[in-house]
Amino acid sequence: MQIDGAGRQQRGHVLLIAGDAAVRRRAVQVAPSANLAALGVLPASALLNSHVPSDTTYLDGARDPNTVLMRLRAAAATPGPLLVYLSGRLTLDRRGQGLHLALAGTTASTVRYTALPWDWLGTELAARPTGPTTVVLDLVADKSAWPVLQEYGSLPASPSAKVYGVVVPPAFAGGPHQVSAYTRHWIDQLRRSPTRPADLQLHAFAVGAAALPPGTLVLPATRELGATAAQQAPQAPQGQTPDPRPHIHALASGGRHQEAATLAQAWEQHVLQTHGYTSPEATHWAEIRADLARMAGNYRSATQLWINAGHTRLEHQPPDAPEVLAAAAGALYCWTQLKDQAAARDSGPELVRLLRALPSLEPRLLRLTQQRLEVLEGAVDRVG
């Protein structure tokens, strides 16, 4: 039995909260219930990184924010380690301009009465005892919440809590009902690692492997993530290597784009030789290089790399797979950032071909892409 400084028995708590699902054009962007079910098969000791006695509370389908508040308050009173996991749709109270976690049945007109105010989370966790507090987020922001979130640049929970997670932008076209990529990779790392990684490492691995849509808000920010992950990473067993992706991301975030690109290309070559040119691993590293090119402002290279990744994934995955849609979204975003008309014109036809192969894509995106390409091609004809 472990005793804290006040003489109380240490006891941990895991609180898993599923808010409302985020759906766009009938495609599920995040399915909180599926995420909770996947996390539920893991022992509390793995989630908490502690072997003290613990309790686990599942909140799935709640409609009353006061019900969630009572569960949150009870969990926050735990003297030992606490993990709070939240998944779902982040929305905005248009009247009060406050961020809320949408609960089951929440609509734009009922946010104030049916959704959980985000401030409540910080208020309850601020009163925590001395036990460590971790908050893990897997969220999608809707169109009302996204501008506010971009203005904040973060999503704080409490100064005393360690917050890890992702908030995906509203334009992301999700795939079928399934565990979301960030949560899935978090779980995979817990299952596969012979020793339990630190939460920061789990977060770094999940972010690096999840092929997140462009613009995703990553908490903590990439710069902080890279700096602290390098300090906390344990030595790998002889003959093995610490995943290089957090380090590569840190280099790019620090403005050392050439070093990041060179290191990523070296790893890609290693993966090509180990797994083959058409392997999922090779495609993933091509996507990493695409995102590095985007971070460096090289939209021409980024566009082509994302287009190639999208076509490669289409050869092995259905057109509504999240990875396929994410590659298409990356290609489209980078193409729209191209100021060089010749470069945009050259890559436009391949982009249109990729978008046409995606039945679940919003038709307006394909139409706007075609219209821009027609304007670009018309400009050449007028000059000629």
Side-chain angles (χ1 to χ4, degrees):
M1 180 176 68
Q2 299 184 37
I3 306 295
D4 67 10
R8 298 169 295 189
Q9 179 182 357
Q10 280 272 11
R11 190 169 188 87
H13 198 106
V14 175
L15 176 59
L16 307 176
I17 300 175
D20 191 27
V23 181
R24 181 172 183 268
R25 295 184 62 84
R26 300 183 181 179
V28 176
Q29 296 174 293
V30 62
S33 297
N35 288 348
L36 255 63
L39 286 165
V41 303
L42 296 175
S45 58
L47 293 172
L48 286 173
N49 195 19
S50 172
H51 290 284
V52 300
S54 59
D55 305 296
T56 301
T57 301
Y58 299 84
L59 270 181
D60 189 358
R63 291 179 173 270
D64 181 5
N66 289 299
T67 299
V68 182
L69 176 61
M70 287 188 292
R71 296 292 189 179
L72 179 60
R73 186 167 293 167
T78 302
L82 170 65
L83 171 73
V84 179
Y85 171 89
L86 300 103
S87 182
R89 175 170 62 91
L90 200 64
T91 190
L92 186 74
D93 170 19
R94 297 179 186 274
R95 183 176 173 185
Q97 296 298 300
L99 291 171
H100 288 63
L101 177 69
L103 302 179
T106 296
T107 65
S109 61
T110 65
V111 171
R112 174 168 293 195
Y113 312 104
T114 63
L116 180 74
W118 194 258
D119 290 345
W120 287 8
L121 178 66
T123 299
E124 296 304 320
L125 295 183
R128 280 268 298 144
T130 56
T133 306
T134 303
V135 178
V136 179
L137 311 173
D138 195 336
L139 304 169
V140 173
D142 66 15
K143 291 182 179 180
S144 67
W146 186 245
V148 175
L149 201 60
Q150 288 184 301
E151 181 181 342
Y152 290 170
S154 182
L155 188 60
S158 169
S160 61
K162 294 182 179 179
V163 182
Y164 306 101
V166 294
V167 186
V168 174
F172 171 54
H177 290 263
Q178 61 178 0
V179 180
S180 56
Y182 175 78
T183 296
R184 184 172 71 250
H185 286 291
W186 183 290
I187 293 170
D188 287 346
Q189 287 296 328
L190 280 176
R191 285 175 170 168
R192 295 188 305 185
S193 300
T195 57
R196 206 275 194 187
D199 288 335
L200 180 64
Q201 292 175 262
L202 287 172
H203 172 66
F205 295 149
V207 168
L212 297 169
T216 296
L217 177 65
V218 176
L219 306 166
T222 310
R223 183 183 300 275
E224 180 185 349
L225 171 64
T228 51
Q231 297 171 0
Q232 295 188 13
Q235 294 295 317
Q238 186 173 3
Q240 297 183 20
T241 306
D243 190 310
R245 290 170 295 191
H247 177 58
I248 292 172
H249 232 76
L251 289 173
S253 298
R256 298 160 66 179
H257 298 293
Q258 187 57 51
E259 292 177 65
T262 300
L263 186 56
Q265 192 167 19
W267 271 92
E268 183 183 26
Q269 289 301 314
H270 169 71
V271 169
L272 290 173
Q273 295 170 7
T274 304
H275 299 281
Y277 281 77
T278 60
S279 65
E281 294 84 358
T283 304
H284 176 57
W285 275 97
E287 291 167 340
I288 290 175
R289 290 206 298 119
D291 203 44
L292 291 175
R294 176 194 61 80
M295 294 174 70
N298 185 356
Y299 291 109
R300 181 172 191 165
S301 178
T303 299
Q304 194 59 56
L305 285 166
W306 277 121
I307 290 174
N308 293 344
H311 285 305
T312 301
R313 286 198 176 277
L314 273 174
E315 294 175 3
H316 306 280
Q317 295 177 265
D320 61 348
E323 295 84 358
V324 175
L325 296 170
L332 180 57
Y333 170 79
C334 293
W335 188 71
T336 61
Q337 302 305 304
L338 280 171
K339 305 303 181 186
D340 185 336
Q341 292 191 353
R345 188 173 59 250
D346 290 345
S347 54
E350 283 188 82
L351 176 61
V352 168
R353 185 165 64 90
L354 174 61
L355 299 182
R356 280 177 176 165
L358 309 178
S360 61
L361 186 75
E362 184 176 345
R364 181 178 62 90
L365 297 178
L366 175 58
R367 183 171 65 253
L368 292 175
T369 303
Q370 290 173 316
Q371 289 173 352
R372 185 191 181 202
L373 182 57
E374 289 171 2
V375 170
L376 292 170
E377 291 174 339
V380 174
D381 293 338
R382 287 193 297 273
V383 172

